[in-house]
Amino acid sequence: MSGRALLMWDEAVTQYDFGSEHPMDPVRLALTMSLVRAYGLDQAVDVVAAKPAGDSTLRLVHREDYVAAVRAASADPRHADQSYGLGTVDDPAFAGMHEASALIAGQSVGAAEAVWRGEAAHAVNFAGGLHHAMPGAASGFCIYNDASLAIARLLELGAERVAYVDVDVHHGDGVQAAFWEDPRVLTVSLHEHPRTLFPQTGWPEETGAAGPGEGGAVNVALPAGTGDAGWLRAFHAVVPELLADFRPQVLVTQHGADTHFEDPLAHLAVSLDAQRAVQEACHELAHEYAEGRWLALGGGGYAVVDVVPRSWTHLVGIAAHAPVDPESVIPSSWRDEVYARTRQLGPGRMTDGLWPVGFRDWSEGYDPADRLDQAVLATRKAAFPLRGMLA
């Protein structure tokens, strides 16, 4: 296996653009890549571009009629079919939509292939993580579900156990749906409680299809307002035990940056420093349980200047075994670019001032009156026994 990590990048992924009024501004991708370069991380990884996902690849997850509908809306956005979730407020149709979406999907699939074949230890596609797209519909800013496609490709290549861990603030509903009945895939999602956030799914009782899929889905529904200590406590109370039991051959993780306290679309209160801590934990878990095979994806994140570029640059650094010091001062050249592109002042350091982040480990006991502990207990009681594990 190559010791080098892959960073999947093609400038054309920034053409995934729902328009100037939409919160998913592609400038977040451009600024992330610029910050990666400003730290010299492009020299610590192999930066490669994969080809767009073709129809046969897309059909590993998506229905043929849906792909045809995306193509039609892409050719003429005025004729987007809303019955497929296209041309809606969340997912406006735009010219070239199919091509941009297939390109992002192709990066994740190509990354998965490289990791599986041992051509790279780790791979990152921060343009990916579009986890809401369903087999037959767009949803939640997502047209093609690159995470599901990457996992489906791994299964096609012979993988028998793939774990997917999603720490985006929104439930990873599309990936859960794609593998609801498949015991070869374990999906774990930590997200804001569905009572208070889209897509209103991801309850702890959602544990996979009865029969072979039972116990294959695990959901931690976090109370709105959960901060660093609670978020890290929940992650470590659930994810390591599940991976130790499942023993995945590949770990796929989704790192939406929208858990951050500055994110405008959600209600968790997580810092950049806690996000970095979870990225490090995922890296360590990949080495511990998946022979180092790790595919890391981006996802949501709508504080497009202050949060997303820093969070995903940390992710690239960790995957490259060249982690960025949280206390480091961000190069002025990048901050100049931020101002030129956005007329905003960029952040000055790679920390929110909370590094290192502490939390109380689950093994030290729990408080049945605490809302965070209640959420973790609900998950463990619903899912763990189905896997033959103690709640």
Side-chain angles (χ1 to χ4, degrees), residues 82-129:
Q82 291 198 4
S83 70
Y84 290 101
L86 303 167
T88 62
V89 173
D90 274 3
D91 298 284
F94 60 91
M97 180 170 65
H98 166 78
E99 290 75 14
S101 304
L103 181 63
I104 290 173
Q107 305 315 300
S108 293
V109 171
E113 291 171 346
V115 167
W116 180 252
R117 291 169 177 158
E119 296 162 9
H122 314 318
V124 179
N125 177 25
F126 58 73

Short mmCIF file of all heavy atoms in Angstrom, two decimals, residues 82-129:
data_model
loop_
_atom_site.label_atom_id
_atom_site.label_comp_id
_atom_site.label_asym_id
_atom_site.label_seq_id
_atom_site.Cartn_x
_atom_site.Cartn_y
_atom_site.Cartn_z
N GLN A 82 -40.11 18.47 -10.70
CA GLN A 82 -40.10 18.55 -9.25
C GLN A 82 -40.50 17.24 -8.58
O GLN A 82 -40.23 17.06 -7.39
CB GLN A 82 -41.00 19.69 -8.78
CG GLN A 82 -40.44 21.06 -9.13
CD GLN A 82 -41.07 22.17 -8.30
OE1 GLN A 82 -41.88 21.94 -7.42
NE2 GLN A 82 -40.67 23.40 -8.59
N SER A 83 -41.09 16.33 -9.31
CA SER A 83 -41.42 15.03 -8.72
C SER A 83 -40.16 14.25 -8.39
O SER A 83 -40.20 13.29 -7.60
CB SER A 83 -42.33 14.22 -9.64
OG SER A 83 -41.63 13.78 -10.80
N TYR A 84 -39.03 14.66 -8.97
CA TYR A 84 -37.74 14.07 -8.65
C TYR A 84 -36.93 14.95 -7.70
O TYR A 84 -35.73 14.74 -7.51
CB TYR A 84 -36.92 13.83 -9.93
CG TYR A 84 -37.46 12.73 -10.82
CD1 TYR A 84 -38.19 13.03 -11.96
CD2 TYR A 84 -37.22 11.39 -10.52
CE1 TYR A 84 -38.66 12.02 -12.80
CE2 TYR A 84 -37.69 10.37 -11.34
CZ TYR A 84 -38.41 10.70 -12.48
OH TYR A 84 -38.88 9.69 -13.28
N GLY A 85 -37.56 15.95 -7.10
CA GLY A 85 -36.86 16.84 -6.21
C GLY A 85 -36.01 17.88 -6.92
O GLY A 85 -35.21 18.58 -6.27
N LEU A 86 -36.17 18.01 -8.21
CA LEU A 86 -35.36 18.94 -9.01
C LEU A 86 -36.15 20.23 -9.28
O LEU A 86 -37.36 20.20 -9.47
CB LEU A 86 -34.98 18.29 -10.34
CG LEU A 86 -34.22 16.97 -10.23
CD1 LEU A 86 -34.15 16.25 -11.58
CD2 LEU A 86 -32.81 17.21 -9.68
N GLY A 87 -35.44 21.36 -9.26
CA GLY A 87 -36.12 22.64 -9.48
C GLY A 87 -36.86 23.14 -8.26
O GLY A 87 -37.77 23.96 -8.35
N THR A 88 -36.45 22.66 -7.08
CA THR A 88 -37.06 23.09 -5.82
C THR A 88 -36.21 24.18 -5.18
O THR A 88 -35.14 24.54 -5.68
CB THR A 88 -37.16 21.90 -4.86
OG1 THR A 88 -35.83 21.43 -4.58
CG2 THR A 88 -37.97 20.75 -5.47
N VAL A 89 -36.69 24.71 -4.06
CA VAL A 89 -35.91 25.73 -3.34
C VAL A 89 -34.58 25.15 -2.88
O VAL A 89 -33.53 25.80 -3.00
CB VAL A 89 -36.71 26.27 -2.13
CG1 VAL A 89 -35.84 27.19 -1.29
CG2 VAL A 89 -37.96 27.02 -2.62
N ASP A 90 -34.59 23.94 -2.35
CA ASP A 90 -33.35 23.32 -1.88
C ASP A 90 -32.43 22.92 -3.03
O ASP A 90 -31.21 23.02 -2.91
CB ASP A 90 -33.66 22.07 -1.04
CG ASP A 90 -33.91 22.40 0.42
OD1 ASP A 90 -33.89 23.59 0.77
OD2 ASP A 90 -34.14 21.46 1.20
N ASP A 91 -33.02 22.41 -4.09
CA ASP A 91 -32.23 21.87 -5.20
C ASP A 91 -32.65 22.51 -6.53
O ASP A 91 -33.24 21.85 -7.40
CB ASP A 91 -32.41 20.35 -5.27
CG ASP A 91 -31.89 19.68 -4.01
OD1 ASP A 91 -30.67 19.56 -3.87
OD2 ASP A 91 -32.72 19.28 -3.17
N PRO A 92 -32.34 23.80 -6.71
CA PRO A 92 -32.68 24.45 -7.97
C PRO A 92 -31.93 23.80 -9.12
O PRO A 92 -30.78 23.38 -8.98
CB PRO A 92 -32.21 25.90 -7.76
CG PRO A 92 -31.94 26.05 -6.31
CD PRO A 92 -31.61 24.68 -5.79
N ALA A 93 -32.59 23.71 -10.26
CA ALA A 93 -31.90 23.18 -11.44
C ALA A 93 -30.96 24.24 -12.01
O ALA A 93 -31.26 25.44 -11.96
CB ALA A 93 -32.93 22.76 -12.49
N PHE A 94 -29.83 23.79 -12.53
CA PHE A 94 -28.91 24.73 -13.18
C PHE A 94 -28.25 24.04 -14.37
O PHE A 94 -28.12 22.81 -14.40
CB PHE A 94 -27.86 25.26 -12.20
CG PHE A 94 -26.98 24.22 -11.56
CD1 PHE A 94 -25.77 23.85 -12.13
CD2 PHE A 94 -27.35 23.61 -10.37
CE1 PHE A 94 -24.95 22.89 -11.54
CE2 PHE A 94 -26.53 22.66 -9.75
CZ PHE A 94 -25.33 22.30 -10.35
N ALA A 95 -27.87 24.80 -15.34
CA ALA A 95 -27.23 24.26 -16.53
C ALA A 95 -25.93 23.56 -16.14
O ALA A 95 -25.14 24.08 -15.37
CB ALA A 95 -26.95 25.38 -17.53
N GLY A 96 -25.76 22.34 -16.64
CA GLY A 96 -24.57 21.57 -16.33
C GLY A 96 -24.65 20.83 -15.01
O GLY A 96 -23.64 20.32 -14.51
N MET A 97 -25.85 20.75 -14.44
CA MET A 97 -26.02 20.12 -13.13
C MET A 97 -25.59 18.65 -13.15
O MET A 97 -24.92 18.18 -12.23
CB MET A 97 -27.49 20.23 -12.71
CG MET A 97 -27.82 19.62 -11.36
SD MET A 97 -29.49 20.05 -10.82
CE MET A 97 -30.46 19.24 -12.08
N HIS A 98 -25.97 17.92 -14.18
CA HIS A 98 -25.59 16.51 -14.26
C HIS A 98 -24.08 16.37 -14.31
O HIS A 98 -23.50 15.55 -13.58
CB HIS A 98 -26.21 15.86 -15.50
CG HIS A 98 -25.61 14.52 -15.82
ND1 HIS A 98 -25.93 13.38 -15.14
CD2 HIS A 98 -24.64 14.16 -16.73
CE1 HIS A 98 -25.21 12.36 -15.62
NE2 HIS A 98 -24.43 12.82 -16.57
N GLU A 99 -23.43 17.18 -15.14
CA GLU A 99 -22.00 17.05 -15.31
C GLU A 99 -21.24 17.35 -14.02
O GLU A 99 -20.31 16.62 -13.62
CB GLU A 99 -21.52 17.97 -16.44
CG GLU A 99 -21.95 17.54 -17.83
CD GLU A 99 -23.43 17.80 -18.15
OE1 GLU A 99 -24.08 18.58 -17.39
OE2 GLU A 99 -23.92 17.24 -19.15
N ALA A 100 -21.63 18.43 -13.32
CA ALA A 100 -20.96 18.80 -12.07
C ALA A 100 -21.20 17.75 -10.99
O ALA A 100 -20.29 17.38 -10.25
CB ALA A 100 -21.44 20.17 -11.60
N SER A 101 -22.43 17.25 -10.91
CA SER A 101 -22.76 16.25 -9.90
C SER A 101 -22.05 14.93 -10.17
O SER A 101 -21.55 14.28 -9.25
CB SER A 101 -24.28 16.02 -9.87
OG SER A 101 -24.98 17.22 -9.64
N ALA A 102 -22.00 14.53 -11.45
CA ALA A 102 -21.31 13.28 -11.81
C ALA A 102 -19.81 13.40 -11.58
O ALA A 102 -19.14 12.42 -11.23
CB ALA A 102 -21.60 12.94 -13.26
N LEU A 103 -19.27 14.61 -11.74
CA LEU A 103 -17.84 14.81 -11.49
C LEU A 103 -17.51 14.64 -10.01
O LEU A 103 -16.54 13.97 -9.66
CB LEU A 103 -17.41 16.20 -11.97
CG LEU A 103 -15.93 16.53 -11.78
CD1 LEU A 103 -15.05 15.59 -12.62
CD2 LEU A 103 -15.64 17.99 -12.16
N ILE A 104 -18.33 15.23 -9.14
CA ILE A 104 -18.10 15.06 -7.71
C ILE A 104 -18.24 13.59 -7.32
O ILE A 104 -17.40 13.05 -6.57
CB ILE A 104 -19.09 15.94 -6.90
CG1 ILE A 104 -18.73 17.42 -7.08
CG2 ILE A 104 -19.07 15.55 -5.42
CD1 ILE A 104 -19.74 18.38 -6.47
N ALA A 105 -19.25 12.93 -7.86
CA ALA A 105 -19.42 11.50 -7.58
C ALA A 105 -18.22 10.70 -8.07
O ALA A 105 -17.74 9.78 -7.38
CB ALA A 105 -20.70 10.99 -8.23
N GLY A 106 -17.71 11.06 -9.23
CA GLY A 106 -16.56 10.35 -9.78
C GLY A 106 -15.33 10.46 -8.91
O GLY A 106 -14.53 9.51 -8.81
N GLN A 107 -15.17 11.61 -8.24
CA GLN A 107 -14.02 11.77 -7.35
C GLN A 107 -14.11 10.81 -6.16
O GLN A 107 -13.12 10.21 -5.75
CB GLN A 107 -13.92 13.21 -6.85
CG GLN A 107 -13.87 14.29 -7.92
CD GLN A 107 -12.93 13.97 -9.07
OE1 GLN A 107 -11.73 13.80 -8.88
NE2 GLN A 107 -13.48 13.89 -10.26
N SER A 108 -15.30 10.67 -5.60
CA SER A 108 -15.46 9.77 -4.46
C SER A 108 -15.30 8.31 -4.88
O SER A 108 -14.69 7.51 -4.16
CB SER A 108 -16.81 10.00 -3.78
OG SER A 108 -16.86 11.27 -3.18
N VAL A 109 -15.85 7.97 -6.02
CA VAL A 109 -15.72 6.59 -6.51
C VAL A 109 -14.26 6.28 -6.84
O VAL A 109 -13.73 5.21 -6.46
CB VAL A 109 -16.63 6.36 -7.73
CG1 VAL A 109 -16.34 5.01 -8.38
CG2 VAL A 109 -18.10 6.45 -7.33
N GLY A 110 -13.59 7.20 -7.50
CA GLY A 110 -12.17 7.00 -7.82
C GLY A 110 -11.33 6.88 -6.57
O GLY A 110 -10.38 6.08 -6.50
N ALA A 111 -11.65 7.67 -5.56
CA ALA A 111 -10.93 7.60 -4.29
C ALA A 111 -11.13 6.25 -3.63
O ALA A 111 -10.19 5.64 -3.10
CB ALA A 111 -11.41 8.72 -3.37
N ALA A 112 -12.37 5.76 -3.64
CA ALA A 112 -12.67 4.46 -3.05
C ALA A 112 -11.90 3.35 -3.76
O ALA A 112 -11.35 2.44 -3.11
CB ALA A 112 -14.18 4.18 -3.11
N GLU A 113 -11.85 3.41 -5.07
CA GLU A 113 -11.11 2.40 -5.84
C GLU A 113 -9.63 2.40 -5.46
O GLU A 113 -9.02 1.35 -5.26
CB GLU A 113 -11.26 2.69 -7.34
CG GLU A 113 -12.66 2.44 -7.87
CD GLU A 113 -12.85 2.92 -9.29
OE1 GLU A 113 -11.99 3.68 -9.79
OE2 GLU A 113 -13.86 2.54 -9.90
N ALA A 114 -9.04 3.59 -5.35
CA ALA A 114 -7.62 3.69 -5.03
C ALA A 114 -7.31 3.15 -3.64
O ALA A 114 -6.31 2.45 -3.44
CB ALA A 114 -7.17 5.15 -5.15
N VAL A 115 -8.18 3.46 -2.68
CA VAL A 115 -7.98 2.96 -1.32
C VAL A 115 -8.12 1.44 -1.27
O VAL A 115 -7.32 0.73 -0.65
CB VAL A 115 -8.94 3.66 -0.33
CG1 VAL A 115 -8.96 2.95 1.01
CG2 VAL A 115 -8.56 5.12 -0.16
N TRP A 116 -9.14 0.93 -1.94
CA TRP A 116 -9.37 -0.52 -1.93
C TRP A 116 -8.22 -1.27 -2.58
O TRP A 116 -7.80 -2.34 -2.11
CB TRP A 116 -10.68 -0.86 -2.64
CG TRP A 116 -10.96 -2.33 -2.65
CD1 TRP A 116 -10.90 -3.18 -3.71
CD2 TRP A 116 -11.33 -3.14 -1.53
NE1 TRP A 116 -11.21 -4.46 -3.34
CE2 TRP A 116 -11.47 -4.47 -2.00
CE3 TRP A 116 -11.54 -2.88 -0.17
CZ2 TRP A 116 -11.83 -5.53 -1.16
CZ3 TRP A 116 -11.89 -3.93 0.67
CH2 TRP A 116 -12.04 -5.23 0.17
N ARG A 117 -7.67 -0.73 -3.64
CA ARG A 117 -6.60 -1.40 -4.38
C ARG A 117 -5.22 -1.19 -3.75
O ARG A 117 -4.22 -1.70 -4.25
CB ARG A 117 -6.59 -0.92 -5.83
CG ARG A 117 -7.82 -1.40 -6.61
CD ARG A 117 -7.95 -0.73 -7.95
NE ARG A 117 -9.09 -1.26 -8.70
CZ ARG A 117 -9.70 -0.62 -9.69
NH1 ARG A 117 -9.27 0.60 -10.05
NH2 ARG A 117 -10.72 -1.17 -10.32
N GLY A 118 -5.17 -0.42 -2.66
CA GLY A 118 -3.90 -0.21 -2.00
C GLY A 118 -3.01 0.81 -2.68
O GLY A 118 -1.82 0.91 -2.38
N GLU A 119 -3.58 1.60 -3.59
CA GLU A 119 -2.79 2.63 -4.28
C GLU A 119 -2.59 3.85 -3.40
O GLU A 119 -1.73 4.69 -3.70
CB GLU A 119 -3.50 3.02 -5.59
CG GLU A 119 -3.58 1.87 -6.59
CD GLU A 119 -4.62 2.09 -7.68
OE1 GLU A 119 -5.16 3.23 -7.75
OE2 GLU A 119 -4.88 1.16 -8.45
N ALA A 120 -3.37 3.96 -2.34
CA ALA A 120 -3.23 5.06 -1.38
C ALA A 120 -3.71 4.56 -0.03
O ALA A 120 -4.65 3.74 0.04
CB ALA A 120 -4.03 6.28 -1.81
N ALA A 121 -3.09 5.04 1.03
CA ALA A 121 -3.55 4.66 2.36
C ALA A 121 -4.88 5.32 2.67
O ALA A 121 -5.82 4.69 3.15
CB ALA A 121 -2.51 5.06 3.39
N HIS A 122 -4.95 6.61 2.40
CA HIS A 122 -6.15 7.40 2.67
C HIS A 122 -6.48 8.24 1.43
O HIS A 122 -5.61 8.51 0.60
CB HIS A 122 -5.94 8.36 3.85
CG HIS A 122 -5.28 7.75 5.03
ND1 HIS A 122 -5.59 6.50 5.52
CD2 HIS A 122 -4.30 8.23 5.86
CE1 HIS A 122 -4.86 6.23 6.58
NE2 HIS A 122 -4.06 7.26 6.81
N ALA A 123 -7.73 8.67 1.35
CA ALA A 123 -8.13 9.57 0.28
C ALA A 123 -9.18 10.54 0.80
O ALA A 123 -10.02 10.17 1.62
CB ALA A 123 -8.68 8.79 -0.92
N VAL A 124 -9.12 11.77 0.31
CA VAL A 124 -10.05 12.83 0.73
C VAL A 124 -10.72 13.42 -0.50
O VAL A 124 -10.05 13.75 -1.49
CB VAL A 124 -9.32 13.95 1.50
CG1 VAL A 124 -10.30 15.06 1.89
CG2 VAL A 124 -8.60 13.40 2.73
N ASN A 125 -12.04 13.56 -0.45
CA ASN A 125 -12.79 14.34 -1.43
C ASN A 125 -13.69 15.29 -0.67
O ASN A 125 -14.82 14.95 -0.35
CB ASN A 125 -13.61 13.44 -2.36
CG ASN A 125 -14.44 14.27 -3.35
OD1 ASN A 125 -14.09 15.41 -3.66
ND2 ASN A 125 -15.54 13.71 -3.83
N PHE A 126 -13.17 16.48 -0.37
CA PHE A 126 -13.98 17.40 0.44
C PHE A 126 -15.13 18.01 -0.35
O PHE A 126 -16.04 18.59 0.23
CB PHE A 126 -13.12 18.47 1.12
CG PHE A 126 -12.29 19.34 0.21
CD1 PHE A 126 -12.87 20.32 -0.57
CD2 PHE A 126 -10.90 19.19 0.17
CE1 PHE A 126 -12.10 21.13 -1.39
CE2 PHE A 126 -10.12 20.00 -0.64
CZ PHE A 126 -10.73 20.97 -1.43
N ALA A 127 -15.13 17.86 -1.68
CA ALA A 127 -16.29 18.30 -2.47
C ALA A 127 -17.45 17.31 -2.36
O ALA A 127 -18.58 17.62 -2.75
CB ALA A 127 -15.90 18.47 -3.93
N GLY A 128 -17.17 16.12 -1.83
CA GLY A 128 -18.19 15.08 -1.73
C GLY A 128 -18.94 15.12 -0.41
O GLY A 128 -18.98 16.13 0.29
N GLY A 129 -19.52 13.98 -0.08
CA GLY A 129 -20.33 13.89 1.13
C GLY A 129 -21.75 14.36 0.94
O GLY A 129 -22.41 14.79 1.89
#
